[in-house]
Every structure is written in structure tokens, then in C-alpha cells.
Amino acid sequence: MGVAVSMVELLVWTAWTGLGLAAGAGGMLFASAGLACIATEGPMLAAQAHANVERLAEAFIKEVAETEKTWIKVTSAIILAPFALVLWMLSFLCLLLYRGNFSTKLCMQLLSGSACVHLVALFCMPHMWWITMKFCFPAAPAIGWAAATFHEDQPSIEVEVPSQGADADGNNEKVGAQTEARAGVEVGEELSS
């Protein structure tokens, strides 16, 4: 009996440690790269990632909500709920980081500043830093939900920016022809001199 209890304790400890490490890693991703992307692109990026995660989870939520409620299905839903929530959080982080633009100068500056803050916090107060990272992981979808809720209340304004070299109406051919004509005149002037 004692061996079985210690095996169960080992499995519980391993699962708890794995969950803590996964939450800390997810928190580090969100607290560094995720926040840098949101700061660079604005809350619209978080709102889009949240909407995409809701679209992905819609089938699972519909299956749980609309089926007949038996004790087996309710128990299964309760057991699977933490895993579904973790999958929701990971999906939000992956979609947020996938859509983020890391090539901008502002994002690079924010990432390097975030890395410095993480490094200082890691060496000065490692336990507090680790706890904060574990709490950042579940906070990520909450921030996405808040951004989506905030974005719903704002009016939608779309601004069309003409491509570089285009005139005010967006005529690229006309501008290109003028540029080629000017280049030909300049080359012709040099040849005749």
C-alpha cells in the first residue's frame, strides 16, 4: 500500500511541477514578446488573437453546452476543463506571437528592454519573478478579452495609406512613367555634354 501511495504522490508532484514550468514558460513568453507586440501594434492585435481563439474553441464549447447532460459527461467536462483552459491560453499566445511584427525598430527596442528587466529581476528577486511569470500566463487571455471588449466599443476607422511612389489617387503607373522619363532626360543630358 505504501508503494502505491508514493507512486501516486510522485505522479502528482511531477504533474504539478510540469504545470508550474509550463505556466512559467508561457508567462515569460507573454511578459516579454507578447507585451512587446501589443505595445508595438496596439490592442487591436490582442483583440484579433482573442477573436481567433474564440473561433477555434467554438466547436468544443458548443459540444459541451448543447449535448445531453449526464453525470459521465459532466464529470468528463470538469476533468477536461483545466486542460481546455491551458489550451485556450497557449492558443492565444501562439496566435498573438504569430501575428506580431518583430521586425520593427520599436518592437526590437521593447524586446531588448524587456530582456534586461527580466534578467535584473531574475537575479535580484528570483522567487518573486518566477511567481509573477506563472501569473502572467493566465493573465494573457484576460488581457486579450479586455482588448477585445475595449475594441468593440470603439468606432472602426480604416485608413488607406497609398504605397510609396504613388500619387494621391494611387496611380502607380503615372508616377513610374514620370520617374522613368526624368531618369531618361538626366541620362540624355549627361551623354550630350
Side-chain angles (χ1 to χ4, degrees):
M1 183 69 164
V3 174
V5 170
S6 47
M7 290 300 290
V8 169
E9 286 178 352
L10 178 66
L11 286 174
V12 168
W13 179 83
T14 304
W16 187 253
T17 304
L19 181 65
L21 289 173
M28 283 186 273
L29 269 176
F30 178 70
S32 56
L35 289 178
C37 286
I38 291 172
T40 303
E41 307 264 338
M44 180 62 186
L45 179 69
Q48 288 173 350
H50 180 75
N52 288 338
V53 170
E54 278 185 340
R55 187 177 41 91
L56 288 173
E58 186 176 329
F60 175 74
I61 293 171
K62 187 183 288 185
E63 179 70 28
V64 171
E66 293 179 356
T67 58
E68 181 185 336
K69 309 270 188 296
T70 63
W71 69 272
I72 294 174
K73 289 185 179 181
V74 170
T75 306
S76 298
I78 290 171
I79 291 171
L80 293 176
F83 299 106
L85 186 61
V86 168
L87 183 61
W88 178 287
M89 292 178 211
L90 283 174
S91 299
F92 174 75
L93 280 175
C94 290
L95 286 169
L96 181 70
L97 297 177
Y98 175 72
R99 294 188 182 274
N101 186 4
F102 294 107
S103 63
T104 62
K105 186 176 181 180
L106 177 63
C107 191
M108 288 300 189
Q109 290 172 345
L110 289 172
L111 280 173
S112 60
S114 174
C116 291
V117 168
H118 280 287
L119 195 60
V120 167
L122 177 63
F123 285 121
C124 293
M125 45 188 179
H127 186 68
M128 180 69 100
W129 175 80
W130 185 247
I131 290 172
T132 305
M133 292 303 105
K134 288 199 281 189
F135 283 123
C136 279
F137 182 60
I143 291 174
W145 173 78
T149 304
F150 175 75
H151 182 68
E152 287 175 358
D153 297 338
Q154 302 299 316
S156 179
I157 299 173
E158 293 184 18
V159 177
E160 186 176 323
V161 179
S163 61
Q164 190 175 14
D167 63 356
D169 296 330
N171 286 330
N172 289 330
E173 300 112 31
K174 189 175 175 183
V175 173
Q178 290 172 354
T179 306
E180 291 172 5
R182 286 186 192 139
V185 170
E186 291 173 4
V187 171
E189 290 174 357
E190 290 176 4
L191 292 175
S192 61
S193 311

